[in-house]
Amino acid sequence: MVTACGGPRPVIVEEAPTEVVRRPLSKTRFVAYGDSVTEGLLLGCPGRPAPVPSIAPDPPATPGVRSSTPSGVSFPARLAALLHERYAGQPIELIGEGVGSDSLSAFKDELGRVLVGDGPDVLLLAGGGDALRAGASGDDVVAALQSMIRDAKRRGVVVFVATLLPIDVDGCRPDAPPVSREPVIRTNAALRTMVGTAEATLVDLFEAFNGRTGVLLGSDGARPTASGFALIARLFFEAITRQLEGE
């Protein structure tokens, strides 16, 4: 631009882009423990195949991630990729321990083996929905999760706890009896209260999925789609960065 009287041209100074400084994580060894949501199961209805195989035989290779039931779409695999991208200079390890069991006692008891065998700094706890759909009471689910939180914290482990996913009542649920939304809603209300007093961090999957179950839950009405698993990974990732980055 030239001034009206032929004066000097104005000097425009461009500011250099601000460098984004990412603070390291204070904890780097993670275990994701849960039921079929953690396994990465994608189930279809009778006569309608699942959109991809339930367990992918060759999941993408991500450094520092291993799983007892490897799934290419599981939220632990996706979360590990997010963490490695953001914290490329840190030796982060994430272990997926999915236990797809309707037995609440087996789900609770297996955590002891995981804590001893894997030795995590951080526990990502996402389970209880399978047992609730199989007939366990909401009170029993919350009590089991509370006991698991206590077991982990006694070992000095930082704990993140997910709420149960909503139920799509129109889903076929080939592996479980029909379940209404109300038990999940009541259980989550009690779970939020319990986590608030247990010195754990809540990751509210229910609120993120509620109203979007047609996209985020599969045709069985209970387990996530690939998009749903990606959202779960993102929600845990955001909670981890808020809680542990630069702590």
Side-chain angles (χ1 to χ4, degrees), residues 27 40 99 109 148 159 180 198:
K27 311 287 184 183
V99 181
D109 294 344
M148 296 161 80
V159 183
S180 72

Side-chain angles (χ1 to χ4, degrees), residues 33-138:
Y33 181 79
D35 52 20
S36 59
V37 171
T38 305
E39 280 185 305
L41 296 176
L42 287 167
L43 298 183
C45 294
R48 287 183 285 166
V52 299
S54 296
I55 298 294
D58 297 304
T62 303
V65 63
R66 60 185 174 89
S67 176
S68 57
T69 53
S71 169
V73 298
S74 72
F75 92 78
R78 291 171 180 264
L79 174 58
L82 291 171
L83 291 172
H84 280 277
E85 180 181 5
R86 184 174 179 88
Y87 307 103
Q90 287 193 268
I92 294 171
E93 184 172 13
L94 194 153
I95 303 166
E97 293 278 10
V99 181
S101 172
D102 293 341
S103 169
L104 190 58
S105 60
F107 174 63
K108 180 171 72 73
D109 294 344
E110 182 68 9
L111 179 64
R113 177 197 65 80
V114 169
L115 293 174
V116 172
D118 294 338
D121 301 324
V122 181
L123 175 66
L124 311 176
L125 185 56
D130 287 358
L132 188 70
R133 289 191 297 274
S137 72

Side-chain angles (χ1 to χ4, degrees), residues 113-205:
R113 177 197 65 80
V114 169
L115 293 174
V116 172
D118 294 338
D121 301 324
V122 181
L123 175 66
L124 311 176
L125 185 56
D130 287 358
L132 188 70
R133 289 191 297 274
S137 72
D139 288 345
D140 286 345
V141 169
V142 173
L145 292 171
Q146 185 176 38
S147 175
M148 296 161 80
I149 293 170
R150 288 172 177 166
D151 287 348
K153 291 189 70 64
R154 275 196 294 266
R155 299 173 185 272
V157 177
V158 175
V159 183
F160 293 78
V161 186
T163 53
L164 308 187
L165 294 176
I167 293 290
D168 184 350
V169 296
D170 296 323
C172 65
R173 289 178 301 282
D175 60 341
V179 176
S180 72
R181 294 187 180 96
E182 289 307 312
V184 176
I185 293 171
R186 289 195 301 269
T187 302
N188 277 332
L191 179 58
R192 292 184 186 100
T193 300
M194 180 273 289
V195 172
T197 62
E199 297 183 353
T201 299
L202 186 76
V203 181
D204 205 334
L205 305 186

